[in-house]
Amino acid sequence: LSFTNARLISPVPAKFIGFDNFTRLFQNATFWKSLLNTVVFAVVIVPLQSGLALGLAMLVNAKVRGTNIFRTVFFLPVVTSMVVVSMLWLFMYQKNGLLNALLAKIGVQGPDWIGDPKWALFSIIVMSAWQAMGFHMVIWLSGLQTIPGELYEAASIDGAGPWKQFLHITWPGLRQTMIFILITITISAFSLFTQVNVMTQGGPLDATSTLVFMSVRTGFLQQQTGYASSISLVFF
């Protein structure tokens, strides 16, 4: 399809047009902006989300009363629909929304989080990290619980502090878990679509447009199936 001029609904049969779709795509400024946004989102969200999830996992791994309550609270956003979460955060991000109201109480004038190209992608990154880190917290937690407690006891007797225990026991013991988490976060980061579709529609000024969003919009809204297929092929 990417080598044809196929349309989603058209009485005219699709014709072979060679590399015309790709030539058109590489000359499209929106494509390069979408590619950059996708890469920036992935580069930022992978360490941010995995790091926050690991921190939460280490907190709820402690054997104290009420731990199960905190595990449940941190995991709740995961079982909530991304569409619902996006709509809630969209209300929070409005100029007169909850976030700016809280900032105003400490004398800070909040920006237009979604309407300003400088802040739009950052806002989606923060919301996405919050929504999904509970899922990866559970995975980190399962990895933490496979590390024998005797190792920490021995390290403590030898005088190792919390940082050295983390560096020489916890982190090496989480190697396989880390690989799995980084792969899953990267896959979901590159397929960013729902948040953009609900909150910004790729705007403002293509500041939040991604390759998946551009492909879906081109293929279904604009009905340019062949052109959308070329975007999908480049993305793949």
Side-chain angles (χ1 to χ4, degrees), residues 10 49 66 79-80 100 152 155 165 168 177-178 200 210 221 229:
S10 175
Q49 189 170 302
V79 298
T80 307
N100 282 349
Y152 293 102
Q165 290 183 24
H168 298 290
T177 307
M178 175 193 67
T200 64
T210 64
L221 295 182
S229 297

Side-chain angles (χ1 to χ4, degrees), residues 133-186:
M133 66 181 176
F135 173 70
H136 297 99
M137 174 199 72
V138 173
I139 301 175
W140 281 123
L141 185 60
S142 66
L144 286 171
Q145 293 178 348
T146 63
I147 302 175
E150 294 81 3
L151 294 177
Y152 293 102
E153 294 174 5
S156 180
I157 293 173
D158 290 340
W163 172 245
K164 285 191 174 182
Q165 290 183 24
F166 173 81
L167 200 62
H168 298 290
I169 300 175
T170 306
W171 190 242
L174 292 173
R175 179 178 176 81
Q176 298 302 321
T177 307
M178 175 193 67
I179 294 172
F180 175 76
I181 285 179
L182 293 182
I183 290 174
T184 54
I185 294 179
T186 303

